[in-house]
Amino acid sequence: MKIMWFHLMPYTELPDDFREKHPSVWVDIHSSLFDPKRAHHMYNDFMDELEYAAACGFDAVCVNEHHSNGYGLMPSPNLIATSLSRRTTNTAICVMGNSLALYNPPTRVAEEFAMIDVISGGRLIAGFPVGTPFDTCYAYGQNPSMLRDRYHEAHDLVLRAWTERDTFAFNGRFNQQRYVNIWPRPVQKPHPPVWIPGGGSIETWQWCAEMDYVYAYLSYYGYKAGRMTMQGFWDEMARLGKDRNPYRAGFLQFVGVGESRQHAMDLYGEAAEYFYGRCLHIDPRFATPPGYVSEATQRAGIEGQMAQAANRSREANPVLGSTTGTRFQMVARDMEHIVENGYVIVGSPDEVTEQLRHVATDLNVGHLMLLLQFGNLGKELTRFNTKLFAEKVLPNMRDLFAEWEDRWWPRPMARESRATLAAFQPEAAAAE
């Protein structure tokens, strides 16, 4: 089994009255809340945390792309991934991912991903999300009804750019390029493994089956809420004649490890309540623009988790107003209910191990992506969580799914063939 350390890079200093005074953490969050000097420290702490996770032995470190929001300060995950490629040695670099429909031309993605793969010596996992409506339709102004068509065309262009040896012309509906000839080209052949982050649409499941890609469900509501989505995915794989290789799938889970369950509740309660109370405070106006959700997905009654977050935010609120009905039940925001609902798994190392083994086997997921930093969790507590997990939980997860081959994992250059990183001595460099 592969255990991966995921970072959202949330802004950690949203005010206590954020929910009461601001309609949304996404799209129109007010610029006055962002302090660049404080964010300087946040970014550097986040980078330290990712590098520390790699040093602790996690199989991969993961970053992702979001725009115009306070819960994920990563408009360009490629910048972070490039730095990680230089500062790590054996850990896979998972960019989850680049929203293909937003790039003009998409060959920019092919080039930058190839750079990361080359710098890292072939350690890249290339994530290709369709993208949330907040990022794609509102922050970047794309037509929601054309989004998936743009995405598929961009995907085809990137794959050809990676794999075709000769310069070629590309004449698509949205992209026309007379000369496609990217330099550099990726180390991994025919290309880095492709993973598709998704929220539960039938089209994404079918696309993963058709292309033999990993489906990665980035759930913020934990394994209990994610069970129905993952069951739908495996049912669709069975219908399409695919095997139940657990490495076809990835799943995201929040985790807090302590000396005991109560100790973990005490350590991580504030950060969890910050995340679910402020970081997922989303205005429903931006959740489901017409044309974004396909007819098939609507008929299946599948609702994306960000739409769920937006709908659940509509409690009695001076900014958002109120709604009634079970569909709009408020997301849990106090630690007791957050844990009870399975959003965050907490406990002693043995308790966390037992719960995560259950999650992995119940959902049949071979790539488990963990948020061990969430909300406003500080650097020292994040390191504590990461270290305790790496020492006491990680070794007890390795044996799962040993009978299956992971065909969707990076295949880097041999270690002895890769560059050796020189130790940087600032004082010596200044003296030269």
Side-chain angles (χ1 to χ4, degrees), residues 96 98 181 224 377:
M96 190 62 74
N98 283 182
N181 178 33
K224 292 182 180 180
L377 199 65

Side-chain angles (χ1 to χ4, degrees), residues 48-263:
D48 287 345
E49 291 158 9
L50 283 157
E51 293 170 15
Y52 183 72
C56 284
F58 285 80
D59 295 299
V61 287
C62 309
V63 293
N64 70 344
E65 175 179 340
H66 286 306
H67 303 279
S68 306
N69 81 84
Y71 101 104
L73 300 179
M74 242 184 302
S76 178
N78 296 358
L79 293 178
I80 307 299
T82 303
S83 177
L84 291 170
S85 297
R86 273 285 293 173
R87 299 275 292 177
T88 60
T89 53
N90 297 314
T91 312
I93 310 294
C94 179
V95 182
M96 190 62 74
N98 283 182
S99 299
L100 287 178
L102 301 186
Y103 289 82
N104 184 20
T107 43
R108 183 78 182 189
V109 174
E111 293 170 327
E112 292 186 3
F113 269 175
M115 283 185 67
I116 296 168
D117 202 48
V118 170
I119 293 169
S120 68
R123 291 183 283 137
L124 174 69
I125 296 170
F128 290 157
V130 174
T132 71
F134 312 95
D135 294 321
T136 56
C137 304
Y138 292 103
Y140 268 49
Q142 292 297 322
N143 184 327
S145 66
M146 295 181 175
L147 194 64
R148 201 168 285 269
D149 289 341
R150 283 185 176 276
Y151 171 86
H152 286 299
E153 182 175 299
H155 163 273
D156 294 347
L157 176 51
V158 169
L159 265 290
R160 282 192 66 187
W162 277 344
T163 57
E164 198 154 322
R165 295 176 62 86
D166 297 324
T167 303
F168 65 91
F170 187 90
N171 291 295
R173 178 184 177 190
F174 306 104
N175 302 277
Q176 299 84 39
Q177 290 178 252
R178 173 61 184 87
Y179 300 101
V180 180
N181 178 33
I182 66 163
W183 276 60
R185 289 170 178 263
V187 166
Q188 298 183 75
K189 302 301 179 187
H191 54 75
V194 175
W195 292 21
I196 309 298
S201 76
I202 291 174
E203 289 79 10
T204 300
W205 298 340
Q206 294 170 343
W207 171 247
C208 289
E210 176 186 350
M211 302 304 298
D212 199 32
Y213 292 159
V214 168
Y215 172 70
Y217 184 43
L218 306 185
S219 171
Y220 295 154
Y221 297 116
Y223 66 98
K224 292 182 180 180
R227 184 179 291 116
M228 182 178 296
T229 296
M230 294 311 303
Q231 184 59 53
F233 168 75
W234 288 117
D235 287 347
E236 188 66 13
M237 292 304 101
R239 190 186 70 81
L240 296 171
K242 301 298 181 179
D243 61 24
R244 282 183 60 85
N245 187 331
Y247 293 110
R248 289 187 180 277
F251 187 79
L252 180 71
Q253 179 65 54
F254 289 64
V255 174
V257 192
E259 296 173 2
S260 65
R261 184 182 187 279
Q262 189 56 54
H263 183 231

Side-chain angles (χ1 to χ4, degrees), residues 313-326:
S313 287
R314 267 198 179 277
E315 59 179 304
N317 182 300
V319 179
L320 294 179
S322 63
T323 46
T324 59
T326 56

Side-chain angles (χ1 to χ4, degrees), residues 317-335:
N317 182 300
V319 179
L320 294 179
S322 63
T323 46
T324 59
T326 56
R327 183 184 176 202
F328 298 104
Q329 287 178 351
M330 183 181 65
V331 64
R333 292 202 299 271
D334 64 278
M335 187 58 171

Side-chain angles (χ1 to χ4, degrees), residues 200 202 228 295-304 308:
I202 291 174
M228 182 178 296
E295 180 182 349
T297 298
Q298 290 183 63
R299 286 185 181 278
I302 298 171
E303 185 178 45
Q308 294 175 41

